[in-house]
Amino acid sequence: MVKLAVLCSGRGSDLQSIIDAIKAGELQAEISIVLTDKPNVQALTRAESADIKNVCVDRKLFATRAEFEAEILKNLGDVDLVVLAGFMRILSPEFVRKFTGRLMNIHPSLLPSFPGAHAHRDVLAYGVKVSGCTVHFVDEGTDSGPIIMQAAVEVKDDDTEETLSARVLEQEHIIYPRAIQLFVEGRLKIDGRHVVIRD
Ligand code: GRF
């Protein structure tokens, strides 16, 4: 069984969609650990309720990013794919290189538009009519790795960050488990900037 580590920082609704897809038999993988960088977050409760091993590696307790990441690595063990699901820390190039082709993220915009930590705010400020979400492999940049899957949603005139985020999240919860299942099936081939989905 393909082993996933899911890294989160907060609410964990993307994590929940992965848990639910596994339970429904739509995703043939197991989550070997849920790891957060903050204590007392909902992602930990969700993992606990699903009987999944969970651990907090509290960033505040580490003087440097290197020490923080060393502790994360110690906890991850032997996983096949590291899934970032609302993990609000930038991982070092050294960390990313250890997991080349085995580290995925979901971002709440249609990349390469609106990277960074405030995608919905930036989308609304810019005035685009379509937004969405992007699952991508992580490279050493920010939100810049090869794109696996995207879904689009309409941006409405009266949208707030909350209403837009809710519409985008619905799509996140559909495409993230699907993208992970493609990885599980060995169907994702990275070719430079392109991710080819094999039959
Ligand atoms: C999602 O919008 C995801 O795209 C972004 O962070 C948010 C996480 O939400 N990376 P949740 O914690 O999974 O509910």
Side-chain angles (χ1 to χ4, degrees), residues 94-140:
E94 295 73 33
F95 187 101
V96 169
R97 277 198 292 269
K98 282 194 172 58
F99 292 96
T100 302
R102 301 192 297 131
L103 180 53
M104 268 187 203
N105 184 38
I106 188 158
H107 180 77
S109 76
L110 292 176
L111 291 172
S113 292
F114 310 109
H118 307 286
H120 298 307
R121 189 175 79 191
D122 299 343
V123 159
L124 292 174
Y126 200 94
V128 292
K129 302 294 189 190
V130 174
S131 189
C133 49
T134 303
V135 180
H136 63 93
F137 283 114
V138 176
D139 67 6
E140 293 174 30

Side-chain angles (χ1 to χ4, degrees), residues 2 17 30 33 73 90 97 145 147 152 154 172 176 180 193:
V2 168
S17 73
E30 64 185 333
I33 187 164
L73 282 175
I90 305 280
R97 277 198 292 269
I147 291 173
E154 182 189 356
E172 293 188 29
Y176 213 3
I180 298 168
R193 274 226 55 83

Side-chain angles (χ1 to χ4, degrees):
M1 192 67 102
V2 168
K3 286 192 228 148
L4 314 177
V6 186
L7 273 53
C8 308
S9 293
R11 180 180 50 188
S13 71
D14 284 326
L15 163 67
Q16 190 66 54
S17 73
I18 296 166
I19 293 173
D20 293 345
I22 291 173
K23 281 197 184 133
E26 290 156 8
L27 174 53
Q28 276 99 44
E30 64 185 333
I31 302 177
S32 53
I33 187 164
V34 169
L35 187 147
T36 70
D37 63 323
K38 291 197 189 110
N40 306 317
V41 290
Q42 206 184 343
L44 292 168
T45 320
R46 291 180 194 269
E48 195 65 36
S49 308
D51 263 327
I52 297 167
K53 178 175 165 197
N54 57 90
V55 58
C56 169
V57 178
D58 189 346
R59 177 65 182 90
K60 290 207 187 78
L61 304 181
F62 297 86
T64 64
R65 179 165 73 175
E67 291 164 87
F68 169 63
E69 289 184 349
E71 186 63 22
I72 293 180
L73 282 175
K74 221 195 274 174
N75 278 280
L76 290 191
D78 188 20
V79 292
D80 300 299
L81 178 68
V82 178
V83 175
L84 305 183
F87 187 66
M88 300 305 282
R89 300 276 170 192
I90 305 280
L91 294 163
S92 70
E94 295 73 33
F95 187 101
V96 169
R97 277 198 292 269
K98 282 194 172 58
F99 292 96
T100 302
R102 301 192 297 131
L103 180 53
M104 268 187 203
N105 184 38
I106 188 158
H107 180 77
S109 76
L110 292 176
L111 291 172
S113 292
F114 310 109
H118 307 286
H120 298 307
R121 189 175 79 191
D122 299 343
V123 159
L124 292 174
Y126 200 94
V128 292
K129 302 294 189 190
V130 174
S131 189
C133 49
T134 303
V135 180
H136 63 93
F137 283 114
V138 176
D139 67 6
E140 293 174 30
T142 303
D143 301 324
S144 56
I147 291 173
I148 301 165
M149 203 177 274
Q150 294 184 299
V153 306
E154 182 189 356
V155 180
K156 299 187 178 168
D157 291 340
D158 60 353
D159 262 336
T160 61
E161 282 184 51
E162 289 69 37
T163 59
L164 177 59
S165 142
R167 195 174 310 118
V168 171
L169 269 179
E170 272 179 38
Q171 297 303 314
E172 293 188 29
H173 299 160
I174 296 169
I175 70 169
Y176 213 3
R178 276 193 196 151
I180 298 168
Q181 176 62 17
L182 289 174
F183 176 91
V184 167
E185 292 171 7
R187 292 172 59 195
L188 300 178
K189 183 170 174 290
I190 304 175
D191 181 12
R193 274 226 55 83
H194 296 260
V195 178
V196 180
I197 301 179
R198 292 184 285 216
D199 287 333

